[in-house]
Amino acid sequence: MTWNHHGWLAGYVLPAALGAGLAWVGLARNSVGKGRLLGSWRSAGLTFLVLALTGAVGVAAGLALPHLAKLPPAAAGLATGVTTMPRKRPDNTTQPYVKYMTLGLAWFRERLEYRMQLDARTWSDRFLEGFERTTHLRVFVHELKNYLMDRHPTRVKAIVGLFEEADRAMVHALDVQTRTDEACGDLRSGWMRKPTAEEVYQCRSALGEAFNRCGDLLLFAYVHGRRTEQPELETLRAKSLSDDAFHSSPLPRQRRRFGLRRASSTRSDAASTERR
């Protein structure tokens, strides 16, 4: 007995598998440059829900095909006219009737795209949580730019543009903080005053803008990169947050080795003196 004799396999499993498989290919192609389908458990749940609904629609369509001939011609004309109507609103959202016609698939796909964008922003914000000093952030963004240019040579112009915007924002934040410190302190008397509410707002606003522009470059790495690049990005962050961000020569070790040699030579001289 072949698989064709099994009605449940030919009528249910095969249409569902084909529909879900093609839906996965479509979602994967549509997600390029937008985010990751499995970036979080919510986006993964929406992805599997879209695949399951697509499979169910395929099964329902296969079961409904034998009964389409019984539909009146007026219903066929009405359905044809509805499909020729514009499908998008000016704000790029799906029309309500399209959501009903697709049995909710269009609505869930919109939610999936929104969730992917939200996952990317959440990942970027969490990745930048450890940076408290603008100097460390500048080192990280510079290293990130070089990292992205090596892996995306066809997008160098976009990477450089994002880096320049981030660097300008960080320089502006440093200037605002420097002016505020100079206004609050008196170098002659050593007296310091607290910054005013307006000065605090200016400093926080400039720093927030710098973090946002740096987050745009980090979003580029998230959207156009792969999951396997996560350890490399974390290594760049760890190096940028360290005090020795530029990896200078280990001078303390040399002094320590020299000190050990000097101590050993001193002990040998003392031992020779006692023998005498």
Side-chain angles (χ1 to χ4, degrees):
M1 182 178 294
T2 61
W3 64 270
N4 288 324
H5 292 85
H6 296 281
W8 62 272
L9 184 61
Y12 298 96
V13 178
L14 185 60
L18 291 176
L22 291 177
W24 171 258
V25 174
L27 290 176
R29 295 188 60 181
N30 188 49
S31 64
V32 175
K34 297 181 180 180
R36 299 174 182 175
L37 293 174
L38 307 178
S40 64
W41 66 269
R42 292 185 178 179
S43 60
L46 287 172
T47 300
F48 290 123
L49 182 59
V50 170
L51 297 180
L53 287 177
T54 305
V57 171
V59 173
L63 296 177
L65 283 177
H67 305 283
L68 292 179
K70 300 178 181 180
L71 291 177
L78 180 62
T80 304
V82 170
T83 56
T84 59
M85 296 177 64
R87 304 232 176 159
K88 294 290 182 180
R89 288 182 177 180
D91 58 352
N92 200 29
T93 57
T94 307
Q95 292 280 9
Y97 72 88
V98 177
K99 298 178 181 180
Y100 287 109
M101 289 177 59
T102 57
L103 302 179
L105 284 174
W107 185 82
F108 284 113
R109 291 193 63 172
E110 282 187 358
R111 297 300 303 174
L112 178 59
E113 292 183 5
Y114 171 76
R115 175 52 57 180
M116 288 191 299
Q117 297 175 1
L118 187 60
D119 291 341
R121 284 292 178 182
T122 303
W123 178 87
S124 176
D125 294 340
R126 291 179 178 176
F127 200 90
L128 294 176
E129 284 181 353
F131 291 93
E132 297 180 355
R133 297 174 57 184
T134 313
T135 52
H136 289 167
L137 187 60
R138 293 191 70 184
V139 173
F140 170 72
V141 171
H142 184 271
E143 295 295 332
L144 180 61
K145 181 201 69 171
N146 296 333
Y147 175 84
L148 294 177
M149 290 177 63
D150 292 339
R151 282 155 180 77
H152 305 280
T154 59
R155 300 177 179 269
V156 172
K157 185 176 180 180
I159 296 172
V160 172
L162 292 173
F163 169 76
E164 290 178 351
E165 292 182 1
D167 191 65
R168 284 194 297 267
M170 286 185 290
V171 170
H172 176 66
L174 284 174
D175 293 340
V176 173
Q177 185 64 46
T178 301
R179 291 196 301 266
T180 302
D181 294 340
E182 292 177 353
C184 294
D186 188 358
L187 298 179
R188 295 181 179 178
S189 62
W191 178 78
M192 297 287 294
R193 68 170 177 86
K194 293 183 179 180
T196 62
E198 181 64 22
E199 290 173 343
V200 172
Y201 168 76
Q202 294 294 336
C203 292
R204 291 184 178 180
S205 177
L207 185 60
E209 182 66 20
F211 271 92
N212 288 335
R213 299 290 74 80
C214 296
D216 293 339
L217 185 61
L218 195 58
L219 282 177
F220 185 94
Y222 177 87
V223 172
H224 299 280
R226 300 179 179 179
R227 296 177 183 273
T228 54
E229 297 177 0
Q230 179 73 17
E232 299 178 2
L233 295 176
E234 292 179 353
T235 301
L236 290 179
R237 179 179 61 180
K239 291 180 179 179
S240 303
L241 290 174
S242 63
D243 295 332
D244 192 11
F246 296 97
H247 303 284
S248 59
S249 58
L251 295 178
R253 295 184 179 179
Q254 294 179 359
R255 288 196 298 266
R256 185 175 59 185
R257 290 196 296 268
F258 179 76
L260 291 176
R261 293 177 180 177
R262 185 176 180 179
S264 60
S265 61
T266 303
R267 286 194 296 268
S268 62
D269 292 342
S272 60
T273 303
E274 291 178 358
R275 292 175 182 176
R276 293 177 183 177

